[in-house]
Amino acid sequence: MQRIFLALGLLLLTTAGATAGPKIERVKFGTLPDGTEVDLYTLTNGNMVAKITNYGGIVTSLMVPDKNGRPVDVVLGFDNLKDYVDSSPYFGAIIGRVGNRIANAKFSLDGKEYKLDANNPPHSLHGGKKGFDKQVWKASPRIIKDNPKLTLSYVSKDGEEGYPGTLTVTVEYTLKDNALMIDYTAYTDKATPVNLTHHSYFNLSGHNAGEILNHDLMIFADKYTPGDKTLIPTGKIEPVEGTPLDFRMSTPIGKRLKDTGLDPVGYDHNYVLRGQKGLVEKAAEVSSPVTGIKMLVLTTEPGLQFYTGNFLGKEVGKGGSKYPKYGAFCLEAQHYPDSPNKPEFPSITLKPGQVYKQKTTYEFGTK
């Protein structure tokens, strides 16, 4: 019989193989300054363990087995809610209403200009000052066909962070076999831009293992969207061939890192994926030579942001771990940056009567 355990107190589950069957546990994670209580859910299916809080939908821990069967936590994060509130660089969070950057913190839609918070001066980044990563979501845990699922829902009111329309959003996290599946759904009562994504910082050698420059990466993209020094796309789409961005063949992340031309040095680029919109197709594959863990990213989205933790270096994470620059990578499935201001890019405008759908899967194995 399928059972859901909602337990207050200490988490009983600490390793990927600690239980034979699927289950979900809940504990109190902390209290926000306004008195709102936040919970932490632990999902396990016998292969993997994911810890997810309803504050920002943050994946705080993801345990997967290495080549020797030992569980490894492959995402960076903090041990407590306060650190996520005070100093998180979007560790593990749901990003919205619009992920990535919007140039000069403004856009026009149906003849009207909308001004946003310039939280990444002069641009708006990842939904603004208080995006979806900083909201408390309503959580509903359940187990379906032996697959633990956490459904998170949030209603973003008309005008929140400057965006038009009331947007109703649902994000489902599911552990199935060796994969973390993320399904997004949204609808609106007024035309509005929507570009949701997931922002885990991965280190397949372990969250506290140091730099990820020895990881081997393949991105299933022949083109990218070049940008200016502030990472706003020019509007052009150019080939990766002959550039440091060419990961069409498996290549160590650090091999051409210093040639990207960014300041600080590293990768923070949007790739134009080969897949057809609406179909779940391969976006990237990455592996650690230390643990043998490999991760395949699949998505319905047309773009993938590859980021190498260029701004890390100040964070003290789980267990007192110091996260260095290049201590993780992000692979964020998305539409292209600044899409509301780039009519030549695929549109992210959601209109009343339409349903936004997105699916991204992080699938794990070993080499």
Side-chain angles (χ1 to χ4, degrees):
M1 181 182 294
Q2 296 176 345
R3 301 174 67 188
I4 298 177
F5 294 83
L6 298 179
L8 296 176
L10 294 176
L11 289 175
L12 303 177
L13 188 59
T14 57
T15 71
T19 176
K23 69 175 181 178
I24 303 174
E25 297 176 308
R26 181 184 70 188
V27 296
K28 181 178 177 181
F29 193 44
T31 304
L32 296 176
D34 65 2
T36 302
E37 292 191 353
V38 173
D39 292 326
L40 182 68
Y41 294 81
T42 298
L43 287 65
T44 181
N45 66 353
N47 298 320
M48 300 170 57
V49 180
K51 294 184 180 182
I52 306 167
T53 173
N54 62 326
Y55 175 77
I58 295 169
V59 177
T60 67
S61 175
L62 186 62
M63 305 289 288
V64 301
D66 68 6
K67 60 187 177 183
N68 297 311
R70 294 175 296 198
V72 177
D73 187 354
V74 296
V75 296
L76 276 59
F78 299 113
D79 290 322
N80 60 80
L81 176 64
K82 187 177 186 302
D83 284 343
Y84 282 107
V85 173
D86 292 346
S87 57
S88 178
Y90 303 100
F91 280 159
I94 297 169
I95 302 298
R97 178 176 306 194
V98 174
N100 221 303
R101 290 168 176 81
I102 295 182
N104 300 310
K106 62 182 180 180
F107 66 93
S108 293
L109 182 60
D110 294 336
K112 181 178 178 180
E113 183 177 272
Y114 294 90
K115 296 183 178 179
L116 311 173
D117 186 85
N119 61 320
N120 183 225
H123 312 308
S124 183
L125 175 66
H126 290 336
K129 185 176 181 180
K130 191 176 182 182
F132 290 178
D133 60 296
K134 298 177 180 65
Q135 305 292 347
V136 177
W137 295 61
K138 180 180 178 181
S140 176
R142 52 186 175 155
I143 295 177
I144 301 177
K145 296 181 179 178
D146 290 334
N147 300 317
K149 181 187 297 286
L150 181 65
T151 301
L152 300 174
S153 58
Y154 176 69
V155 177
S156 176
K157 295 181 179 179
D158 184 16
E160 183 177 279
E161 288 298 318
Y163 290 99
T166 296
L167 187 74
T168 302
V169 185
T170 299
V171 178
E172 292 184 340
Y173 288 103
T174 304
L175 285 189
K176 184 176 181 181
D177 299 325
N178 294 305
L180 174 64
M181 304 166 61
I182 311 175
D183 291 272
Y184 307 76
T185 304
Y187 57 90
T188 183
D189 62 0
K190 187 186 297 184
T192 186
V194 181
N195 185 22
L196 307 180
T197 191
H198 178 73
H199 211 297
S200 273
Y201 284 67
F202 293 99
N203 187 326
L204 302 186
S205 297
H207 78 96
N208 57 353
E211 294 182 349
I212 45 78
L213 303 183
N214 64 347
H215 282 48
D216 292 313
L217 172 68
M218 180 184 296
I219 299 178
F220 298 91
D222 303 307
K223 299 177 181 180
Y224 76 108
T225 55
D228 63 19
K229 292 182 179 180
T230 64
L231 302 178
I232 297 298
T234 63
K236 297 180 180 180
I237 294 177
E238 297 183 355
V240 298
E241 185 175 2
T243 77
L245 280 68
D246 191 347
F247 284 93
R248 291 176 297 170
M249 300 292 290
S250 186
T251 305
I253 289 175
K255 184 175 181 179
R256 298 184 295 260
L257 184 90
K258 295 181 180 179
D259 301 325
T260 60
L262 293 187
D263 182 18
V265 172
Y267 290 94
D268 199 352
H269 298 80
N270 172 64
Y271 284 77
V272 177
L273 297 174
R274 299 170 186 159
Q276 301 179 49
K277 183 181 179 183
L279 299 180
V280 180
E281 299 191 38
K282 292 181 180 180
E285 186 174 292
V286 59
S287 62
S288 162
V290 176
T291 60
I293 295 173
K294 64 178 180 180
M295 182 178 77
L296 178 64
V297 184
L298 305 102
T299 187
T300 56
E301 295 303 276
L304 185 74
Q305 189 80 12
F306 171 45
Y307 172 58
T308 47
N310 312 332
F311 291 97
L312 290 177
K314 299 178 182 179
E315 294 79 11
V316 178
K318 290 176 284 191
S321 303
K322 294 183 179 179
Y323 295 144
K325 187 176 183 178
Y326 313 130
F329 64 89
C330 302
L331 291 169
E332 307 156 55
Q334 60 176 17
H335 272 62
Y336 310 158
D338 199 33
S339 287
N341 295 312
K342 298 290 189 299
E344 60 269 44
F345 286 172
S347 175
I348 63 169
T349 300
L350 182 68
K351 298 179 179 180
Q354 296 178 335
V355 180
Y356 172 94
K357 289 282 188 180
Q358 202 247 91
K359 185 181 187 71
T360 297
T361 296
Y362 298 94
E363 184 177 300
F364 297 88
T366 55
K367 296 186 70 174

